[in-house]
Amino acid sequence: MPSGWDVREVRFGAEDVSLAGSLGVPGEGAAAGVVLIGGSGPSDRDNDGYFRPIRRYLLEAGIAVLGYDKRGVGRSSGRWRAASMDDLASDALAALDFLRAQPEVPDEAVGLFGHSEGGWVALRAAARDAPSWVITNSCPGVTPAEQERYAVANAVKASGSQSQRDNADVLALYDRLVEAGRRGVDFAEATRLVARAGHPPGLAAYWGDVDADGWEFLKRKQDHDPLPDARRLRCPHLAIFGGSDVLVPVADSIRLFSAVACDGDRDQRATLTVEVFPGADHRVQRGGVLAPGYLRTLAQWIHAAAPDRGSRSNASR
């Protein structure tokens, strides 16, 4: 670890859980600070390694970075599968408050960065307690049910099936599962629905590792709508997408976030900036590395959005 960085293990509380994370601060203090919120599943403070190059670049750009293990992951207590979107937003707000309280970080220049599902969490948190800004990274503007349907349709195409009937059958099965979730069907009955359909391979990305707890989690979040949270924002919003993301309907998400931004009743501070990186995937990567210009764009936008940008940025390098 370069000597110019102060990176330390930290712990902070969020309601009934204790969250563990890593706080990195530039050696001469920070011009701004950001909380990194991981995506779906058991995401840790590094989000399966994805956050590491982002953290490094932001630290070099004079931006403090706090990442944390999702509740029930790594060294954090609790159970993420038992959590609601509000619970996860409370965790993000606890991280935000912790970062604001650090003497090396200007509390008026601290924001949230949420990847994928973490973007929904960031929007919910930002709607409750306005940070300096919010960044959503590959975050759908549609509900989880709509996003998963888009992902299943692309998975079916990738499976090599040439039959339109087979493709339609898989999507029809997915729709039945969503409706079953809305009716409160238990895991045993949902499993029977999939078994009667012969476990089609295109459904594996959605259903492959679902167990009873996972099914309850899916039911609980499937109709979460991120747009009311986006409408309540009181800070700038940067929405980043990979143009070739097969998990998120990018064009629809941009259209929906843009429509909310045009709402005349939205707070005037809630500007929207959209960045699309052509050819990049759900992690905004091309060929396994972050898309050219992604990190520079991220750091420059944070410095521009921060009320006090300081003079230590090397984001334009």
Side-chain angles (χ1 to χ4, degrees), residues 98-109:
F98 181 84
L99 187 55
R100 284 171 171 162
Q102 302 310 303
E104 315 97 322
V105 181
D107 61 1
E108 75 281 4

Side-chain angles (χ1 to χ4, degrees), residues 168-242:
D169 286 348
V170 174
L171 290 176
L173 172 59
Y174 173 80
D175 292 339
R176 289 197 296 275
L177 285 169
V178 169
E179 287 304 319
R182 290 175 181 147
R183 296 196 312 272
V185 164
D186 63 19
F187 179 62
E189 178 57 29
T191 300
R192 284 192 286 272
L193 278 174
V194 177
R196 285 197 292 268
H199 296 274
L203 194 69
Y206 171 74
W207 190 256
D209 59 353
V210 175
D211 57 14
D213 285 343
W215 174 239
E216 293 302 316
F217 183 76
L218 288 174
K219 289 194 296 183
R220 196 162 54 247
K221 78 168 188 176
Q222 67 179 12
D223 289 318
H224 169 74
D225 184 356
L227 298 183
D229 290 332
R231 189 169 285 109
R232 290 195 295 269
L233 291 179
R234 290 160 286 160
C235 65
H237 174 198
L238 170 62
I240 300 175
F241 297 96

Side-chain angles (χ1 to χ4, degrees), residues 125-296:
R128 284 168 48 182
D129 178 6
S132 299
W133 68 83
V134 62
I135 299 168
T136 58
N137 194 71
S138 299
C139 172
V142 299
T143 67
E146 293 172 281
Q147 177 264 311
E148 291 283 8
R149 194 180 198 278
Y150 179 84
V152 167
N154 282 324
V156 169
K157 293 177 185 176
S159 70
S161 173
Q162 301 300 313
S163 167
Q164 291 185 356
R165 180 174 179 179
D166 288 347
N167 296 351
D169 286 348
V170 174
L171 290 176
L173 172 59
Y174 173 80
D175 292 339
R176 289 197 296 275
L177 285 169
V178 169
E179 287 304 319
R182 290 175 181 147
R183 296 196 312 272
V185 164
D186 63 19
F187 179 62
E189 178 57 29
T191 300
R192 284 192 286 272
L193 278 174
V194 177
R196 285 197 292 268
H199 296 274
L203 194 69
Y206 171 74
W207 190 256
D209 59 353
V210 175
D211 57 14
D213 285 343
W215 174 239
E216 293 302 316
F217 183 76
L218 288 174
K219 289 194 296 183
R220 196 162 54 247
K221 78 168 188 176
Q222 67 179 12
D223 289 318
H224 169 74
D225 184 356
L227 298 183
D229 290 332
R231 189 169 285 109
R232 290 195 295 269
L233 291 179
R234 290 160 286 160
C235 65
H237 174 198
L238 170 62
I240 300 175
F241 297 96
S244 297
D245 190 340
V246 298
L247 303 182
V248 171
V250 171
D252 287 343
S253 296
I254 293 171
R255 175 180 56 80
L256 290 166
F257 283 140
S258 297
V260 167
C262 293
D263 187 331
D265 292 329
R266 195 161 93 145
D267 193 292
Q268 293 184 0
R269 293 167 291 182
T271 58
L272 173 66
T273 303
V274 176
E275 293 282 354
V276 180
F277 290 85
D281 61 15
H282 186 60
R283 288 195 161 193
V284 202
Q285 294 177 335
R286 297 177 63 178
V289 297
L290 289 166
Y294 170 83
L295 291 170
R296 183 174 61 253

